[in-house]
Amino acid sequence: MYQALVFVAKSIPSEIELHCLVAHLTDKQPVAVKIARNGRVISVIGVAGSIVPKTVALESNAFEYKHTEAVPPYAAETGDIATVSTQLCYTINITARDGAKGRTIAPIDVYGHIKPECRAHFLTYLEKQTGLTGLLDEAAEIGITPIAMPTDDERKHKVWFVGAMQLTLRAAVGEPAVFNALAGVAIGNRRNYGFGAVACDLLEKAVVLEPEAA
């Protein structure tokens, strides 16, 4: 079972401020969290008992702790059709063959199209992390809206978000245990900054056909 620590921020927080909130709550320990955002209302979700709730004050913002809620896993079964959405951050490391320094690339272009050379890697990753199936076989619906790349001024800071996108998927559930855990587990990169919180927007139950009477 998961728990959600619910906070109300003084102002709508940035990704950096969310990261600082998590750092304060976990004392910078490697505790896995999923951050759900709704304006100034922030839920920090994790395994029940893994984080002690407290109000957190930053120089630029403040997060007032309100209450703790139980978060049950999603309730999908094999073959159900799930529609999910998330703000994902994901990159792929490309190793140079000539010994030169490798590079990190986003799997999508500026139009939201998956780059051909990244297609198998990216879709395999999504299937594995979400428990959904049919993405590689083009049996699923995929919607991607890229988030603008950082400006030159933003690149002067320590952190920027390459490979950030709004992602929606509608696909059959192939691994229910993996999918249902998304209620309390985030995917992708920069999870402590609020990325990768997968919301189950709609779950269509699989139709079970009764055998015909003899």
Side-chain angles (χ1 to χ4, degrees):
M1 181 65 71
Y2 303 107
Q3 67 178 14
L5 308 183
V6 181
F7 300 83
V8 175
K10 185 176 180 181
S11 58
I12 295 177
S14 66
E15 285 84 0
I16 301 297
E17 289 169 336
L18 292 174
H19 175 71
C20 292
L21 169 64
V22 172
H24 277 77
L25 292 173
T26 63
D27 196 24
K28 299 183 180 179
Q29 297 303 304
V31 178
V33 299
K34 166 183 172 177
I35 300 175
R37 296 178 282 181
N38 184 10
R40 294 191 299 117
V41 179
I42 307 299
S43 297
V44 179
I45 305 169
V47 175
S50 61
I51 300 175
V52 177
K54 61 181 178 180
T55 292
V56 174
L58 309 175
E59 290 185 5
S60 59
N61 208 337
F63 298 85
E64 182 180 357
Y65 169 70
K66 291 297 185 179
H67 60 272
T68 298
E69 300 175 351
V71 178
Y74 295 144
E77 297 177 335
T78 302
D80 291 349
I81 305 299
T83 300
V84 302
S85 60
T86 185
Q87 181 170 293
L88 182 70
C89 188
Y90 189 71
T91 55
I92 298 173
N93 294 322
I94 304 297
T95 303
R97 296 182 180 180
D98 57 1
K101 185 178 179 180
R103 58 195 178 98
T104 298
I105 64 171
I108 60 170
D109 61 23
V110 295
Y111 302 103
H113 301 141
I114 301 174
K115 297 173 182 176
E117 67 274 22
C118 298
R119 181 180 182 278
H121 178 112
F122 184 48
L123 295 182
T124 298
Y125 172 83
L126 289 177
E127 286 191 345
K128 181 179 180 180
Q129 294 297 311
T130 63
L132 297 174
T133 188
L135 278 66
L136 270 169
D137 300 335
E138 300 184 355
E141 299 175 24
I142 304 174
I144 301 174
T145 302
I147 297 174
M149 292 291 287
T151 63
D152 290 339
D153 184 62
E154 290 172 326
R155 288 180 183 274
K156 296 177 183 178
H157 300 285
K158 291 183 179 180
V159 177
W160 60 83
F161 307 110
V162 177
M165 68 192 83
Q166 298 289 344
L167 174 69
T168 59
L169 301 171
R170 182 177 183 271
V173 176
E175 297 288 344
V178 175
F179 179 84
N180 293 334
L182 293 176
V185 176
I187 67 172
N189 307 131
R190 304 296 188 188
R191 292 184 288 273
N192 281 4
Y193 292 80
F195 289 96
V198 178
C200 181
D201 301 321
L202 179 64
L203 189 62
E204 303 167 67
K205 302 303 290 184
V207 177
V208 178
L209 299 177
E210 297 293 337
E212 295 183 2

